[in-house]
């Protein structure tokens, strides 16, 4: 049960970071934090139940996190080429 | 074939294998042949989809069956949604050709990504195991992030992609958190085991409630229901119009399939815990979607808000929860696919995004303007169109299950919807055209897709019997 408390705290910290930070790179890091909260849960439950499915799930979550970061940085790079900024509040052509 | 990969497993996986293979082939041809292969990309997409369709049809002959020890369940429900994905992808591929040429971003990757997104959607509709579902969802979402930002030189497209990526990845994280809790409850990732474990606990068990909160937040994001809708107007406006149509249809109905699978399957026994949440989300979506649409000046943004409202109606079908409600959802999604793609393809033919770009359109292009009226009538939910049938069945389900207030709220917002859809009609038929030079956006593919979507939207309204039968057969048991 302690693991769920830790992971829930990480989920909330990640969410807070996502909502309050202005730098897009830090926002992407906050998303990683949320996915790591998921991993803690999965591995803890896997140990608790004594089956490996949770660990397999965790590996998939890590792979997905990497893919998401790659696409995210790619899009950020395209944006940076056109706008020369990584601050979300300066990205305001569309009504947010 | 070994014990780990039987013939049945292969048979269940074939449509996804084909889609991924054709997708990769397109990436490869584009890389190796470059400019010369552009003209052939479309002729590679359509046979790929046809072959996939053939295998879906063969699966339909022996459905329902499970594969991979229950990780995939090929049933009428999954096949229904997969046919919709297939038709959506075919229509999108056909209408994109000329659009991408005009935007000068005619790249092979586009068609490859469309097929990859459909591969992910396949697993969302037939997956009955958490890891399979999660990976399918991410395959689809990652393709969509790139597609939304496909106009690399357009700042608005970049910005839309970034906003969609941040909020999309966030919602995936929340959903994955919900999945991890579900795994913790059951000690298994198979939906059938989770259903047993959830049913053994009280509905308001803290872990179950946490799982329901996170899973529903994640999926409501994906179907762009309020209060998690804020990404939709920006992503829809900034994305290339062809992608907006794909996003509004493909992404939304795939996530809807996932919502139904999870909430009617493993979480079905905790209905009293999630029903109030979905009622709130449905009312919020109807309110935000319909009221915000009234003040929009951008037609794509208007349709984005209208799609938020449609998510609200679909949720009401699930809230009603009886067979009529589920039949209503099936009819509504079927109608939604054709009327939404139809409306967006007319916007592509206009080659403008503001509502005033539509001024005088009826005089210049009556061939497009008249079907547009049919699509808008259908989106608003007036007879004799497919959209009316969908709304009718959902209201009927609400009344049958004694939820009169919800039915009344839903019906009241139809009047609001009529108001803003008819602003588009007024601008097409009554206002004089603003003279500007526009590229010739019409193409053979666009006209074929217009005919197909128009006929189905109108045909299903005039002679609904086959569609009702089809919807009845595809319910989730």
């Amino acid at each position: 049960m302690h693991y769920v408390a830790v992971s829930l705290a990480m989920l909330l910290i990640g969410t807070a970071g996502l909502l309050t930070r202005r730098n897009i790179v830090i926002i992407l890091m906050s998303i990683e934090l949320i996915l790591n909260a998921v991993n803690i849960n999965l591995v803890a439950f896997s140990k608790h139940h004594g089956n490996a499915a949770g660990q397999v799930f965790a590996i998939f979550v890590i792979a997905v996190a990497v893919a998401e970061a790659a696409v995210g940085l790619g899009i950020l790079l395209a944006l940076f080429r056109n706008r020369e900024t990584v601050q979300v509040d300066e990205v305001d052509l569309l009504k947010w | 074939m070994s014990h780990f990969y039987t013939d049945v497993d292969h048979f269940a996986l074939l449509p996804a294998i084909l889609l991924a293979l054709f997708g990769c082939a397109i990436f490869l041809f584009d890389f190796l042949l470059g400019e010369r292969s552009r003209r052939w990309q479309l002729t590679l997409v359509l046979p790929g989809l046809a072959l996939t369709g053939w295998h879906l049809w063969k699966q339909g002959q022996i459905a329902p069956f499970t594969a991979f020890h229950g990780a995939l369940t090929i049933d009428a429900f999954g096949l229904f949604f997969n046919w919709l994905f297939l038709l959506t992808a075919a229509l999108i591929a056909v209408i994109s050709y000329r659009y991408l040429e005009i935007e000068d971003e005619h790249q092979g990757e586009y068609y490859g990504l469309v097929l990859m997104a459909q591969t992910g959607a396949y697993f969302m509709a037939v997956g009955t195991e958490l890891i399979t579902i999660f990976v399918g969802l991410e395959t689809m979402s990652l393709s969509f992030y790139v597609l939304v930002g496909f106009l690399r030189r357009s700042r608005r497209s970049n910005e839309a992609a970034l906003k969609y990526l941040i909020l999309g990845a966030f919602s995936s994280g929340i959903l994955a958190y919900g999945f991890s809790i579900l795994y913790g409850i059951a000690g298994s990732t198979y939906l059938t085991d989770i259903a047993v474990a959830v049913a053994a606990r009280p509905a308001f068990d803290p872990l179950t409630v946490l799982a329901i909160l996170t899973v529903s937040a994640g999926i409501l994001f994906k179907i762009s229901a309020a209060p998690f809708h804020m990404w939709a107007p920006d992503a829809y406006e900034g994305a290339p119009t062809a992608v907006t149509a794909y996003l509004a249809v493909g992404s939304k109905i795939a996530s809807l399939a996932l919502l139904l699978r999870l909430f009617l399957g493993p979480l079905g026994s905790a209905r009293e815990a999630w029903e109030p949440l979905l009622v709130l989300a449905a009312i919020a979506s109807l309110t935000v979607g319909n009221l915000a649409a009234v003040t929009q000046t951008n037609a794509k943004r208007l349709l984005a808000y209208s799609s938020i409202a449609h998510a609200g109606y679909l949720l009401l079908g699930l809230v009603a929860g009886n067979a009529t409600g589920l039949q209503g959802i099936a009819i509504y999604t079927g109608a939604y696919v054709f009327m939404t793609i139809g409306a967006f393809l007319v916007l592509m033919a206009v080659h403008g995004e503001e509502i005033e770009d539509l001024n005088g359109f009826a005089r210049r292009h009556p061939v497009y303007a008249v079907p547009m009226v049919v699509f808008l009538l259908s989106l608003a939910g007036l007879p004799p169109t497919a959209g009316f049938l969908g709304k009718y069945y959902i209201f009927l389900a609400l009344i049958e299950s004694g939820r009169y207030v919800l039915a009344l709220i839903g019906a009241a917002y139809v009047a609001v919807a009529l108001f803003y859809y008819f602003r588009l009609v007024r601008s097409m038929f009554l206002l004089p055209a603003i003279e500007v030079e526009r590229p010739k956006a019409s193409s053979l593919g666009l006209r074929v897709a217009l005919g197909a979507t128009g006929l189905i939207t109108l045909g299903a309204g005039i002679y609904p019997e086959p569609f009702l039968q089809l919807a009845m057969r595809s319910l989730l048991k």
Side-chain angles (χ1 to χ4, degrees), chain A residues 7-8 15 24 27 34 38 41 45-46 49 51 54 60 64 67-68 72 78-79 82-83 91 93-96, chain B residues 131 135 138 142 152 155-156 158-159 162-163 165-166 169-170 173 176-177 180-181 183-184 187 234 237 301:
Chain A
S7 74
L8 198 58
T15 310
I24 295 163
I27 290 179
I34 293 173
V38 175
N41 253 354
F45 283 133
S46 177
H49 288 293
N51 79 27
F60 275 101
V64 162
E68 241 161 29
L79 183 88
N82 287 333
R83 296 289 297 269
V91 181
L93 277 178
L94 303 164
K95 286 171 272 178
W96 176 237
Chain B
I131 303 176
V135 173
E138 284 304 310
L142 286 172
R152 279 172 306 168
R155 288 177 169 192
R156 292 170 65 213
N158 294 156
E159 194 179 315
L162 187 74
K163 287 177 176 174
L165 175 109
I166 290 174
F170 174 58
Y177 193 85
S180 75
I181 301 284
Y183 169 69
D234 286 342
E237 186 188 339
R301 243 182 137 77

Side-chain angles (χ1 to χ4, degrees), chain B residues 17-39:
Chain B
I17 294 176
L18 282 170
L19 288 170
L21 266 184
F22 272 88
C24 291
I26 290 171
F27 289 140
L28 204 63
F29 280 141
D30 191 63
F31 177 68
L32 293 177
L33 304 174
E35 208 68 52
R36 279 172 298 157
S37 71
R38 298 282 146 76
R39 297 191 302 147

